[in-house]
Amino acid sequence: MEPDGSEPAGAAWEPVRWTGHEVRTEVVLLHGHRVSCRIGGSAGPVLLLLHGLLGSGASFGPALDELARTHRVVAPDLLGHGASEKPTGDYSLGALATLARDLLVVLGVESATVVGHSLGGGVAMQLAYQFPASVERLVLVDSGGLGRNVSPALRAVALPGAEWVLPAVFNPYAARAAARLLRPLHRVTPPALAQVVAGLATLADAEARAAFVLTARSVIGVGGQRVSATDRLYLTAALPLLLVWGGRDPVIPVAHGETLHAQLPGSTLVVFDRAGHFPQVEDPGRFAGVVGEFVRTTTAAPPAARDAAWAAALRAGSAQLPLGAADSTTS
């Protein structure tokens, strides 16, 4: 693990150094790919913050700095995003969840409270499903993977030929022109809009564009979200769960969070009535306070107990059909 921008030194492995509440950027080499990661804090529970589509660790904005004062925070740029590498490969939720688990292992973190925004919420749920011992608590922020509805702009990425249209709209020339146009408005641009603009600006890079299309199509189709966690969420019934949503989210409606909250009575739902898709940057102080209070007032079971609870729930929610029943159900 080396400071951002330097080459790997080939030194012996060592866990992350928690040096203070200031958030710094380091680079971790995972499976030969460089993963940029924001790390901060010196004490307290570990928070793994997973950003959304077209985002990065910076997508948590000032809330990341605030959380680092009382927690140890890890906010990676997922592969294909931000300053991390953008290889041609698997950008499914399962692959990104495995990347998140591997990152924790390399950093020497046994488990963490996982905070996932939008696409990152889907990754967080997949992480809890694949590696239950790694997830102490789950915080879903305007999360994907809980219903079909999603904005038409994202559904358009699933259309045939979208990968050929994007370069005509998002290219270095257009990016420079947009930057000149928006520069005078920088100080008055709402934080949520600034997040969208920053994300779209990354599409001027061909590798980022290709990774965006691969990632979006892994979870979104023309008809809406293709991937749903709702049939397996019963496995998280024993896991402390916080839902944070913007009441005016135009990308993923707050109804998704309300439905999940009704299905899991032990969960907590907090709606930021005036916020859109980015409550963590639209009201960072409140967001950090809500997450911090959730961590303080809930208890995480030991890793072995989480594994056992997951396995028990899976067995209780499944059944072995009598011999021959499988054939009759498919005839």
Side-chain angles (χ1 to χ4, degrees):
M1 188 168 54
E2 295 294 323
D4 190 21
S6 66
E7 292 300 321
W13 174 85
E14 61 179 29
V16 63
R17 297 178 298 277
W18 306 103
T19 58
H21 70 266
E22 294 84 4
V23 176
R24 66 190 188 276
T25 301
E26 297 195 10
V27 173
V28 178
L29 198 63
L30 276 179
H31 312 301
H33 300 300
R34 295 170 68 86
V35 176
S36 181
C37 187
R38 288 168 176 80
I39 295 172
S42 58
V46 178
L47 302 180
L48 174 65
L49 298 104
L50 303 174
H51 62 79
L53 194 63
L54 284 179
S56 68
S59 299
F60 287 91
L64 182 62
D65 299 296
E66 188 65 28
L67 288 167
R69 297 181 183 279
T70 49
H71 303 77
R72 293 170 292 164
V73 299
V74 177
D77 295 357
L78 296 171
L79 280 183
H81 294 76
S84 292
E85 281 193 46
K86 301 163 181 67
T88 300
D90 185 0
Y91 287 96
S92 66
L93 292 180
L96 294 175
T98 300
L99 174 81
R101 188 283 309 267
D102 293 352
L103 177 65
L104 290 180
V105 171
V106 169
L107 294 179
V109 176
E110 183 178 27
S111 59
T113 294
V114 183
V115 182
H117 172 245
S118 197
L119 170 74
V123 177
M125 287 186 284
Q126 187 71 24
L127 180 64
Y129 173 63
Q130 291 180 199
F131 311 106
S134 298
V135 181
E136 298 175 352
R137 304 171 186 82
L138 201 55
V139 181
L140 303 179
V141 185
D142 294 68
S143 177
L146 298 173
R148 292 279 288 172
N149 292 0
V150 72
S151 68
L154 288 177
R155 291 202 302 270
V157 181
L159 291 170
E163 62 268 43
W164 304 110
V165 175
L166 286 173
V169 181
F170 301 103
N171 54 66
Y173 307 105
R176 285 194 290 270
R180 287 194 297 270
L181 179 65
L182 295 173
R183 191 174 295 117
L185 304 176
H186 176 72
R187 292 186 177 180
V188 296
T189 302
L193 180 57
Q195 289 288 329
V196 174
V197 171
L200 293 176
T202 66
L203 294 180
D205 176 76
E207 289 184 342
R209 217 165 38 237
F212 164 67
V213 171
L214 288 172
T215 307
R217 287 180 174 173
S218 73
V219 293
I220 298 170
V222 176
Q225 295 188 63
R226 298 174 51 237
V227 179
S228 174
T230 54
D231 63 339
R232 303 182 191 188
L233 282 172
Y234 69 94
L235 297 171
T236 66
L239 193 67
L241 173 62
L242 169 65
L243 306 170
V244 179
W245 228 279
R248 300 179 180 178
D249 189 344
V251 180
I252 303 175
V254 66
H256 289 198
E258 294 168 341
T259 299
L260 177 58
H261 177 53
Q263 292 172 347
L264 297 175
S267 63
T268 300
L269 172 65
V270 178
V271 178
F272 288 34
D273 292 325
R274 301 174 65 86
H277 190 58
F278 297 90
Q280 73 272 31
V281 297
E282 294 175 77
D283 196 344
R286 183 185 177 193
F287 179 82
V290 166
V291 172
E293 178 69 12
F294 171 68
V295 173
R296 283 192 301 273
T297 57
T298 55
T299 301
R306 292 195 294 271
D307 261 339
W310 178 90
L314 178 60
R315 295 189 190 102
S318 306
Q320 185 173 354
L321 298 178
L323 188 64
D327 295 334
S328 65
T329 59
T330 57
S331 60

